[in-house]
């Protein structure tokens, strides 16, 4: 009996010590030491003064009122916006801003432990953020873009219907130039309030070139262009992979397509397209195509969703040459729920490349594959895009489940595209790149 009591007392003491230790462990997590570094790495690019987020997370005082909301948003992986399915397909991206499981646990434990401020001395040094008036890639390339093409000024009234502004502007090029990076943006911070998204399409004549196989079907033979760059929340530019680029020709034009919407005050703005060239005489080996895949069989204009129903569509586009898929960016509207990209190889096997299983219209995220993960695919591969839509009351983004929904530019209409860049190669170049990839994998192991 005495031994039993002794063991019981020891067990109670150990349990008490564990509880105290657990409480102390929870209490040791602080904003300055544990949470601020995470926010600085993954959140503050948007959550800072005069940026696109509704509140700043630079300091403890700014963050503390939002602690419980932050806890919920990170647990559900709604923030930071990264909606790729982490259980399937490729998981290595150059622009991955998602939180790791460990980072999520740290934030949750910090909030559950009382969201303590911590010692100010433990705060990481303040990060210097790029000046919104400066070009983001300027430091990397030693100066501002080599060519800046601007759309004409446009005034959005305080109250108005949505507008789609589609001016065409000459680039002024008089010689062939290879592009290594592109940025696009509304010219002012206020302009970002009224710009839903902005597209820049390259229009140029190239004899002997067929219609772009990645375009939406509107291009004619000899017009070698397509979607050049897009601005949307979460996307504003692209740097080409080493030894690859996009080709611009003399006499080319940029056709802008800007979706404007009123926000209660009159704002005048324009879109700026910044282009960085390779040095003259330096030509990359690989040419990157421009365009999009439709996510609807035949055309995205075939969207036809009855009230209170779901809808699924597929399209398949053959690769006429071997190549490397550079990115995957779903584009849908409010009924869009998910999109998947697959490669059907010439031998009939299928590879699931990427799936966005929680599409959010507010974030047009471009998932850019890491150098060692970008799919290398042989000639004859078919790229299959599957899109899912939800026009029911279960979709919290749905403005009206009782409406019949078809294709259209308006937000309340629907679209379904996958923005994809492909760097095409000869069969010999493909085999060489594949051998380099395999050798690097062996060395890594």
């Amino acid at each position: 009996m005495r031994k039993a009591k002794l063991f019981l007392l020891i067990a109670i003491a150990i349990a008490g010590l564990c509880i105290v230790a657990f409480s102390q462990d929870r209490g040791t997590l602080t904003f300055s030491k544990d949470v601020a570094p995470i926010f600085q790495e993954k959140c503050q690019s948007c959550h800072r003064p005069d940026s696109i987020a509704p509140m700043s997370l630079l300091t403890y005082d700014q963050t503390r009122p939002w602690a419980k909301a932050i806890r919920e948003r990170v647990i559900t992986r709604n923030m930071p916006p990264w909606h790729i399915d982490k259980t399937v397909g490729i998981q290595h991206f150059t622009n991955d801003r998602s939180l790791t499981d460990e980072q999520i646990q740290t934030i949750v434990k910090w909030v559950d432990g009382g969201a303590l401020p911590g010692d100010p001395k433990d705060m990481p040094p303040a990060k210097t953020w790029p000046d919104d008036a400066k070009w983001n890639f300027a430091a990397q390339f030693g100066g501002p873009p080599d060519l800046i093409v601007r759309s004409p000024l446009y005034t959005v009234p305080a109250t108005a219907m949505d507008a789609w502004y589609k001016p065409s502007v000459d680039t002024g090029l008089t010689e062939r130039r290879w592009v290594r990076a592109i940025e696009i943006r509304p010219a002012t911070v206020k302009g970002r309030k009224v710009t839903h998204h902005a597209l820049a399409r390259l229009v140029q004549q190239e004899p002997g070139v067929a219609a772009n196989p990645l375009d939406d079907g509107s291009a004619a033979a000899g017009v070698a262009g397509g979607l050049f760059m897009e601005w949307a929340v979460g996307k504003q530019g692209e740097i080409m992979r080493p030894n690859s680029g996009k080709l611009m020709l003399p006499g080319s034009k940029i056709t802008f397509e800007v979706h404007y919407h009123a926000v209660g005050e009159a704002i005048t703005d324009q879109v700026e397209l910044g282009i960085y060239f390779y040095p003259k005489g330096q030509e990359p080996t690989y040419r990157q195509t421009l365009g999009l895949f439709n996510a609807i069989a035949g055309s995205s204009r075939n969207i036809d969703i009855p009230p209170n129903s779901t809808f699924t569509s597929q399209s398949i586009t053959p690769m006429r040459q071997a190549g490397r898929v550079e990115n995957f960016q779903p584009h849908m509207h409010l009924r869009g729920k998910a999109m998947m990209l697959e490669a059907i190889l010439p031998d009939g096997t299928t590879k699931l490349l990427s799936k966005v299983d929680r599409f959010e219209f507010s974030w047009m995220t471009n998932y850019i594959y890491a150098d060692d993960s970008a799919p290398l695919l042989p000639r004859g591969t078919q790229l299959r895009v599957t899109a899912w839509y939800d026009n029911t009351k279960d979709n919290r983004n749905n403005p009206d489940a009782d409406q019949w929904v078809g294709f259209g530019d308006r937000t309340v209409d629907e679209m379904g595209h996958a923005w994809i860049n492909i760097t095409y190669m000869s069969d010999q170049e493909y085999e060489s790149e594949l051998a380099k990839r395999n050798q690097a994998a062996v060395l890594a192991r």
Side-chain angles (χ1 to χ4, degrees):
M1 182 64 71
R2 286 183 178 178
K3 288 185 178 180
K5 287 183 178 180
L6 181 60
F7 283 133
L8 178 61
L9 290 173
I10 292 173
I12 293 173
I14 292 174
L17 288 173
C18 289
I19 292 172
V20 172
F22 179 66
S23 300
Q24 289 175 343
D25 178 65
R26 293 175 65 187
T28 58
L29 290 174
T30 65
F31 177 83
S32 57
K33 185 177 181 180
D34 304 289
V35 176
I38 298 174
F39 285 178
Q40 192 175 87
E41 178 187 357
K42 299 292 182 68
C43 308
Q44 291 177 5
S45 59
C46 294
H47 288 272
R48 54 191 171 89
D50 298 322
S51 191
I52 61 175
M55 71 286 199
S56 175
L57 300 179
L58 297 184
T59 69
Y60 175 79
D61 290 339
Q62 293 169 342
T63 305
R64 182 60 182 87
W66 303 95
K68 290 184 178 179
I70 292 171
R71 181 188 187 279
E72 187 274 332
R73 297 288 276 175
V74 301
I75 284 178
T76 56
R77 290 192 178 273
N78 285 311
M79 281 289 167
W82 190 259
H83 303 120
I84 205 87
D85 187 337
K86 287 181 171 287
T87 66
V88 298
I90 297 168
Q91 295 298 323
H92 299 287
F93 303 89
T94 64
N95 61 332
D96 190 345
R97 57 187 171 194
S98 63
L99 296 174
T100 65
D101 291 342
E102 182 181 3
Q103 289 173 326
I104 292 175
Q105 291 171 8
T106 296
I107 294 171
V108 170
K109 288 181 179 179
W110 171 68
V111 175
D112 291 346
L116 302 177
D119 189 337
K121 294 179 181 178
D122 291 332
M123 283 288 290
K127 191 170 182 178
T128 301
W129 296 100
D131 184 345
D132 288 329
K134 296 180 180 179
W135 295 94
N136 291 329
F137 300 158
Q140 182 170 343
F141 294 109
D146 300 299
L147 175 66
I148 300 176
V149 182
R150 295 179 174 88
S151 67
L153 289 169
Y154 187 92
T155 298
V156 181
T159 304
M161 297 289 288
D162 284 14
W164 285 265
Y165 186 44
K166 301 180 180 181
S168 187
V169 180
D170 289 327
T171 63
L173 281 182
T174 58
E175 57 184 335
R176 290 163 51 102
R177 294 301 302 267
W178 284 92
V179 178
R180 59 181 177 178
I182 310 170
E183 287 192 67
I184 186 172
R185 65 188 188 186
T188 67
V189 174
K190 273 197 170 185
R192 296 173 194 179
K193 295 181 179 180
V194 294
T195 307
H196 178 273
H197 71 274
L199 307 179
R201 300 182 185 275
L202 176 65
V203 180
Q204 59 190 16
Q205 295 293 326
E206 188 170 355
V209 174
N212 188 342
L214 302 185
D215 206 349
D216 59 7
S218 63
V223 178
L227 180 66
F228 198 51
M229 190 47 60
E230 174 199 28
W231 182 86
V233 175
K235 179 183 180 183
Q236 61 186 30
E238 176 184 1
I239 299 176
M240 312 301 143
R241 294 190 199 278
N243 209 24
S244 65
K246 298 179 180 181
L247 179 62
M248 294 183 70
L249 299 175
S252 57
K253 295 183 177 182
I254 295 294
T255 296
F256 290 95
E257 183 177 326
V258 190
H259 179 180
Y260 285 119
H261 58 97
V263 294
E265 64 173 315
I267 294 176
T268 299
D269 198 54
Q270 62 187 159
V271 174
E272 298 178 325
L273 179 71
I275 303 166
Y276 301 82
F277 293 127
Y278 279 95
K280 288 185 179 182
Q282 181 179 343
E283 293 193 1
T285 301
Y286 305 119
R287 180 175 179 179
Q288 192 179 109
T289 59
L290 308 92
L292 60 89
F293 282 90
N294 288 313
I296 305 300
S299 170
S300 61
R301 288 167 175 77
N302 289 354
I303 293 175
D304 191 20
I305 313 176
N308 300 292
S309 68
T310 58
F311 186 73
T312 305
S313 63
Q314 279 190 341
S315 70
I316 295 178
T317 302
M319 290 178 59
R320 300 169 188 171
Q321 292 177 255
R324 181 179 60 220
V325 178
E326 306 290 5
N327 66 292
F328 174 52
Q329 182 194 341
H331 180 93
M332 296 183 278
H333 285 181
L334 296 172
R335 276 82 174 187
K337 294 302 292 181
M339 186 177 286
M340 179 171 64
L341 175 64
E342 298 171 289
I344 305 173
L345 302 177
D347 64 5
T349 59
T350 299
K351 287 185 177 181
L352 198 166
L353 303 182
S354 287
K355 182 180 180 181
V356 169
D357 60 339
R358 299 178 296 115
F359 177 79
E360 284 288 343
F361 174 68
S362 299
W363 296 97
M364 299 296 174
T365 303
N366 185 25
Y367 301 91
I368 304 172
Y369 297 118
D371 290 346
D372 59 352
S373 299
L376 285 170
L377 301 172
R379 176 166 51 95
T381 297
Q382 299 182 75
L383 291 176
R384 179 167 64 192
V385 174
T386 306
W388 290 269
Y389 302 85
D390 184 354
N391 188 27
T392 72
K393 293 181 174 64
D394 292 334
N395 179 0
R396 59 183 177 81
N397 295 322
N398 196 347
D400 188 351
D402 295 325
Q403 292 294 321
W404 202 292
V405 181
F407 172 86
D409 287 334
R410 301 178 307 166
T411 301
V412 294
D413 300 321
E414 201 47 74
M415 286 188 176
H417 312 305
W419 309 108
I420 297 172
N421 286 322
I422 293 183
T423 299
Y424 278 116
M425 309 171 183
S426 67
D427 291 341
Q428 294 78 12
E429 290 169 336
Y430 163 74
E431 293 294 341
S432 176
E433 288 295 314
L434 189 61
K436 291 178 185 177
R437 178 80 60 86
N438 291 337
Q439 183 179 17
V442 170
L443 292 174
R445 287 197 294 269

